[in-house]
Amino acid sequence: METAKYNLNIQRLIEDTFRGEKTLNALNIYSKGLINKNLPIILSKDHLASLLGHPLNLINNVIYSPESFYRSFYIPKKNNNGKRVIHAPKGILLDLQQKIYEYILSAIPVHEKATGYVANKTIKDNAIPHLNTNEILKVDLKDFFPSINFNRVINVFLKAGYTRDISFSLARICTLHNSLPQGAPTSPILSNLIIKRLDIRLEKLSKKLKLNYTRYADDLTFSGDSITISFLHYVKSIINSEGFKVNKKKLRILRKSHKKVITGISITNNELKVPREKKRIVRQAVYFIKKHGFLNHLEHIDRFDPIMLEKLLGYAYYWKFIEDSESSKSIISVLKLEIAKLNSSTSNLHTHLEFVK
């Protein structure tokens, strides 16, 4: 959707439909505020339904009974640390959320220190500012998405310039059980917009003390010549005052002697690297697959994982993205060859079975 063209049509509709100087002035002020932010003008729920391309009665079903439009399941957390519930929107709700993201949320700027869920930014952008520093503070926010409630989501749309009625409807479409659902396409950007004030305060504090600050989703990183305990207390206080909690189990201050890993990237030697242990695991697996064959390797490790080659290839591409080394390129070539061989043998088997039939 081209927002400028769309808004021009709405302005014409306002001029043709409404009468009275006060009404027109109020609507023009409302519309101008949204136009200046490159956001679509939404005058009513009927208008919202038209913008999102679904009948109002279906949208009302989503607004007042969102539970029916999700599929929920669990995935294991990292390091076998429990399970995480994923609420994946389906059908009409998925389409509504994708359009709200595209038409509205993507036009609202996030803080420059946010590097996760941001277009044209990656985990490398999150790590680079912390190169060539002596000490690092890593802070993880506890229950990040669940801690963001409905009122905070509605405020995003109110601050964007929408009426309370429209903001309520948009927030209901984007929330489940009074919080941000992990699995919805709107949740990542909403979290970035809601946490923006925290980013502003933490960056201001860091700048004052000549420290660096970046945030990748719920991972906050600070670095500089020295990280003091008093600075940590200030950070905790600001986080708590903004309605978030620190995950004490993941709180780390990395001094000179520590290995420095930020969102999976090692910067121990002041350059971006994949941690050695991760590379060793990939090299070892690829070595045995190349030597004994993929199926024999699965039998040897006594683990059935039909997409192991694809997983390894994905990690090899990640390795190449971080370092662009000859080792990663070589491993990618080997894995591509193994996948081609496996696909070929599977295809031949299917052909043989068809012939036997």
Side-chain angles (χ1 to χ4, degrees):
M1 184 190 73
E2 191 179 334
T3 303
K5 188 176 179 181
Y6 165 85
N7 282 340
L8 185 61
N9 291 332
I10 298 303
Q11 284 180 293
R12 287 171 181 162
L13 177 67
I14 290 171
E15 291 170 3
D16 294 340
T17 307
F18 295 93
R19 296 290 179 267
E21 189 177 345
K22 284 187 178 180
T23 301
L24 283 170
N25 282 342
L27 286 172
N28 284 330
I29 290 169
Y30 173 70
S31 300
K32 198 170 183 180
L34 294 168
I35 290 168
N36 289 340
K37 296 175 182 176
N38 196 34
L39 294 171
I41 301 166
I42 306 173
L43 302 177
S44 65
K45 281 180 74 175
D46 283 318
H47 197 189
L48 175 63
S50 177
L51 173 71
L52 299 179
H54 290 279
L56 181 57
N57 66 314
L58 287 180
I59 291 179
N60 278 331
N61 287 342
V62 170
I63 291 171
Y64 295 107
S65 184
E67 299 85 359
S68 309
F69 298 88
Y70 283 93
R71 179 175 62 89
S72 301
F73 55 92
Y74 291 90
I75 61 170
K77 291 184 179 180
K78 289 181 181 178
N79 304 320
N80 297 318
N81 190 23
K83 293 181 179 180
R84 188 188 312 279
V85 62
I86 301 297
H87 300 291
K90 56 186 180 180
I92 178 178
L93 177 57
L94 178 60
D95 186 60
L96 293 176
Q97 290 177 346
Q98 287 172 336
K99 286 175 179 173
I100 290 171
Y101 170 83
E102 182 186 348
Y103 300 163
I104 299 173
L105 297 173
S106 63
I108 307 174
V110 301
H111 194 273
E112 62 179 357
K113 297 300 179 180
T115 59
Y117 315 133
V118 179
N120 303 317
K121 285 191 178 182
T122 70
I123 53 173
K124 287 170 75 170
D125 297 295
N126 190 62
I128 287 169
H130 306 289
L131 290 168
N132 301 300
T133 55
N134 286 332
E135 298 182 353
I136 292 173
L137 168 64
K138 295 169 65 176
V139 180
D140 182 85
L141 300 180
K142 189 176 181 182
D143 300 325
F144 186 41
F145 280 10
S147 68
I148 297 174
N149 63 27
F150 175 80
N151 288 336
R152 301 183 83 165
V153 176
I154 198 172
N155 278 334
V156 170
F157 298 107
L158 287 170
K159 287 179 182 177
Y162 290 106
T163 64
R164 180 158 290 278
D165 186 42
I166 296 301
S167 296
F168 173 86
S169 297
L170 290 168
R172 285 288 293 179
I173 293 169
C174 296
T175 55
L176 177 68
H177 305 317
N178 196 42
S179 64
L180 280 186
Q182 192 150 347
T186 44
S187 291
I189 192 166
L190 279 168
S191 70
N192 272 340
L193 294 170
I194 288 161
I195 207 172
K196 188 174 182 178
R197 194 170 72 172
L198 174 63
D199 286 331
I200 291 169
R201 294 179 67 186
L202 291 177
E203 195 219 354
K204 193 177 288 186
L205 174 66
S206 302
K207 211 170 184 179
K208 188 176 179 181
L209 298 173
K210 296 182 179 179
L211 297 173
N212 308 302
Y213 166 66
T214 61
R215 180 181 58 80
Y216 192 92
D218 55 357
D219 290 321
L220 286 57
T221 308
F222 307 85
S223 67
D225 290 337
S226 176
I227 301 290
T228 64
I229 297 300
S230 61
F231 173 73
L232 173 58
H233 290 321
Y234 280 126
V235 169
K236 282 182 177 179
S237 176
I238 291 172
I239 289 171
N240 291 336
S241 70
E242 289 294 330
F244 297 98
K245 291 182 181 179
V246 172
N247 187 339
K248 294 177 182 178
K249 293 179 180 179
K250 294 186 177 181
L251 186 64
R252 299 285 185 274
I253 296 181
L254 307 177
R255 307 294 185 188
K256 287 183 179 180
S257 58
H258 290 97
K259 290 180 180 178
K260 296 173 183 174
V261 179
I262 299 173
T263 48
I265 301 176
S266 171
I267 61 166
T268 303
N269 297 317
N270 294 319
E271 56 182 340
L272 303 185
K273 294 282 186 182
V274 174
R276 288 181 183 178
E277 180 61 18
K278 293 283 187 183
K279 289 191 282 192
R280 186 192 66 79
I281 292 170
V282 173
R283 281 198 188 102
Q284 188 178 59
V286 171
Y287 170 79
F288 285 115
I289 288 169
K290 187 179 178 182
K291 184 176 181 180
H292 302 294
F294 175 59
L295 297 178
N296 287 334
H297 177 64
L298 286 182
E299 188 176 345
H300 176 73
I301 63 174
D302 194 24
R303 194 174 89 221
F304 180 70
D305 187 353
I307 60 168
M308 178 186 281
L309 289 174
E310 285 77 7
K311 288 179 183 176
L312 289 169
L313 182 61
Y315 199 87
Y317 273 116
Y318 165 77
W319 180 354
K320 181 177 180 292
F321 169 69
I322 300 299
E323 298 183 23
D324 197 20
S325 64
E326 289 303 318
S327 294
S328 62
K329 292 175 185 176
S330 173
I331 285 173
I332 287 170
S333 297
V334 170
L335 288 170
K336 279 184 172 179
L337 183 62
E338 290 297 325
I339 290 171
K341 283 162 57 178
L342 184 66
N343 289 340
S344 175
S345 62
T346 304
S347 175
N348 290 338
L349 177 61
H350 287 161
T351 302
H352 175 71
L353 290 173
E354 287 298 319
F355 177 76
V356 170
K357 285 180 183 177

